[in-house]
Amino acid sequence: MFSGDQDSVVPLLGSRSLVREMAQDLEFNISVPYGPWFHKGQVGGWVTEYGNLLTFATVRGASHLVPYAQPSRALRMFTSFIRGARLPNDTHPSISGGDSPI
């Protein structure tokens, strides 16, 4: 699940609380604490992982229509999802080459 951090339609704090409550109901523990993810050397947003099935990510500078407001960051987030990969948590590209800097 994701949210733009400037979304006035569905506010970030409401989305984050909903996901946290859902994780508690499903008995998923936090596996990756709330922290930044990066895109093109900048903070792309913030992310928390619950178990290995639920991730909540924010997109920095995005409003309700994330792909319209932040297309590059939205594409990076979507690409990570499709690949089954975590959002990058540092500014260094992967040595293996499997994590392209989209």
Side-chain angles (χ1 to χ4, degrees):
M1 299 183 86
F2 66 94
S3 179
D5 67 359
Q6 296 179 9
D7 189 342
S8 62
V9 178
V10 182
L12 169 63
L13 292 178
S15 298
R16 188 174 175 204
S17 296
L18 177 69
V19 171
R20 184 176 44 240
E21 289 173 17
M22 183 170 58
Q24 288 174 346
D25 289 347
L26 295 170
E27 298 181 2
F28 291 168
N29 294 319
I30 293 174
S31 54
V32 177
Y34 196 66
W37 64 272
F38 292 88
H39 177 57
K40 295 185 177 180
Q42 297 182 356
V43 173
W46 298 81
V47 64
T48 305
E49 292 184 24
Y50 301 90
N52 60 356
L53 294 175
L54 179 61
T55 300
F56 177 68
T58 69
V59 179
R60 187 174 63 85
S63 56
H64 188 64
L65 300 174
V66 171
Y68 177 77
Q70 291 291 332
S72 183
R73 291 177 184 153
L75 179 60
R76 181 65 182 106
M77 185 177 57
F78 182 70
T79 302
S80 291
F81 171 74
I82 293 298
R83 291 180 178 168
R86 285 189 166 138
L87 288 165
N89 62 1
D90 62 28
T91 59
H92 305 293
S94 172
I95 294 173
S96 68
D99 188 25
S100 67
I102 294 173

